[in-house]
């Protein structure tokens, strides 16, 4: 029995390396340094964003110590407060930990960027949350402003905007995405009900010899009163279904483990909100089509989004098991998903047509002189590169946007087929 508890050498080394990496002790002479980058900042694009962010916050600076430190030239209490509260890439300012550094310590996973509730559901193609926080600052959004993501996916922009006190409106054609975004941002308001029904939910999930278990969704409707609690337990079930069908994990074990981790993450969020006295933004996420955004003209202060990368990923097929469990008919859904409609070459044409309509909508709902950020990459289809980035720039410019920044971003990760994507920052000029 004892032996089973011993970790293999690999596991031990990995844990040690990770804990050392994360044991961010503050250095003795940190107070002498103005601004120190977080240890996980490794790429050139991150440094570009860090610099753009400082400029957007009105900071004048010089880089030092192999680009890992900044010396602030126009130091004031106001600028120190701004960086501490809103900055994305910095560990300390004059020896004091930034809010972001403290937020990312609240992490129930082994992945540096899956802190708080970001990790909930293994959605493919998630944004890097740190990058989104920086972009919200770079495009000048402040507490009380409203940012839109018309392809809101797993809700990364939603959670990052909420943390900065920026109001968020999101649409996605996939009902599964809407649940993800809502659970990540709304569970903090119903943690008592979530905890109070956990026992009943778990008892029902065990295989029962004497009577068949109640249908999960029926039980949920009977014992949960708040829609947000229902969404929490719907998503907990879908993660276990995904773990079971993709990774062959035992459904019951996965369910119980994930419910507990989800609750711990929601509590982490509540805890850090109180500790840092965060004033959260309002979040509204609905099922919606980017080709027909249900918002008035000139109504949002900024847009940060990432549409499907041409026909690179079949979002319906990819999340088929979860969508089916929620009661949806996959074939009926395909027609409204961009990048999934049609076959072969015709699929790229339909994609371009759908994206043109989406870009026109982005233009229509954004206020003049404000910014739209589109993160997108060129996918390869049958050995040929599809020039989606160039297409996006050309069409957006034809609508009256100017491209103010184009940042190449490496895609880092073992399982990614694409190597690079672009962060395109557009300004609505007319
Ligand atoms: C690249 S993903 C977005 C990922 C997101 N940035 C994140 O961090 O999770 C693209 C999203 O577009 C959605 N989508 C596809 N067709 C759509 C449409 N017609 N209207 C709105 N969303 C759509 C997909 O469901 C998918 O979630």
């Amino acid at each position: 029995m004892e032996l089973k508890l011993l970790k293999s050498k690999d596991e031990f080394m990995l844990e040690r390396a990770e804990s050392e990496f994360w044991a961010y002790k503050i250095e003795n002479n940190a107070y002498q340094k103005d601004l120190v980058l977080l240890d996980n900042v490794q790429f050139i694009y991150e440094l570009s964003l860090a610099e753009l962010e400082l400029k957007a916050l009105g900071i004048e600076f010089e880089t030092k110590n192999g680009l890992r430190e900044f010396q602030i030239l126009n130091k004031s209490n106001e600028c120190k407060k701004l960086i501490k509260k809103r900055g994305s890439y910095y560990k300390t300012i004059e020896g004091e930990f930034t809010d972001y550094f403290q937020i990312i310590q609240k992490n129930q996973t082994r992945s540096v960027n899956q802190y708080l509730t970001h990790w909930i559901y293994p959605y493919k193609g998630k944004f890097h949350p740190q990058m989104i926080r920086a972009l919200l600052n770079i495009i000048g959004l402040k507490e009380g402003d409203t940012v839109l993501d018309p392809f809101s996916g797993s809700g990364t922009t939603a959670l990052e905007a909420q943390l900065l006190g920026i109001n968020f409106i999101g649409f996605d054609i996939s009902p599964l995405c809407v649940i993800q975004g809502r659970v990540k941002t709304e569970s903090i308001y119903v943690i008592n009900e979530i905890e109070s029904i956990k026992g009943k939910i778990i008892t029902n999930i065990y295989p029962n010899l004497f009577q068949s278990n109640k249908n999960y969704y029926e039980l949920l409707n009977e014992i949960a009163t708040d829609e947000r609690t229902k969404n929490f337990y719907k998503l907990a079930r879908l993660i276990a279904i995904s773990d079971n069908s993709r990774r062959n994990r035992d459904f019951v074990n996965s369910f119980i483990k994930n419910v507990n981790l989800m609750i711990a993450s929601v509590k982490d969020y509540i805890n850090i909100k109180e500790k840092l006295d965060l004033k959260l933004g309002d979040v509204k996420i609905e099922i919606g089509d980017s080709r027909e955004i249900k918002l008035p003209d000139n109504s949002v202060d900024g847009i940060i989004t990432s549409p499907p990368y041409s026909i690179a990923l079949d979002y319906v097929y990819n999340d088929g098991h979860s969508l089916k469990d929620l009661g949806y008919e996959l074939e009926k859904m395909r027609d409204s998903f961009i990048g999934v409609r049609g076959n072969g070459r015709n699929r790229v044409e339909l994609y371009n047509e759908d994206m043109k309509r989406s870009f026109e909508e982005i233009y229509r709902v954004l206020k003049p002189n404000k910014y739209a950020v589109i993160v997108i990459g060129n996918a390869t289809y049958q050995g040929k590169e599809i020039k989606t980035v160039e297409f996006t720039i050309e069409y957006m410019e034809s609508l009256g946007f100017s491209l103010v920044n184009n940042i190449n971003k490496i895609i880092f990760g073992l399982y990614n087929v694409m190597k690079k994507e672009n962060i395109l920052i557009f300004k609505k000029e007319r």
Side-chain angles (χ1 to χ4, degrees), residues 123 125 127 150-151 153-154 156 172-173 177 288-290 306 315 336 338:
Y123 196 68
F127 273 145
F151 299 96
S154 65
T156 315
D172 200 286
I173 203 72
C177 289
D289 194 328
S290 58
S306 180
Y315 288 98
S336 44
I338 295 177

Side-chain angles (χ1 to χ4, degrees), residues 97-129:
F97 285 132
T98 61
D99 279 13
Y100 187 70
F101 171 78
Q102 297 178 67
I103 289 171
I104 65 175
Q105 306 309 306
K106 301 281 182 194
N107 189 334
Q108 299 289 335
T109 78
R110 283 163 169 262
S111 172
V112 178
N113 56 50
Q114 294 297 292
Y115 48 87
L116 300 183
T117 51
H118 274 302
W119 69 272
I120 298 177
Y121 197 83
Y123 196 68
K124 267 200 184 167
K126 286 181 187 176
F127 273 145
H128 203 293

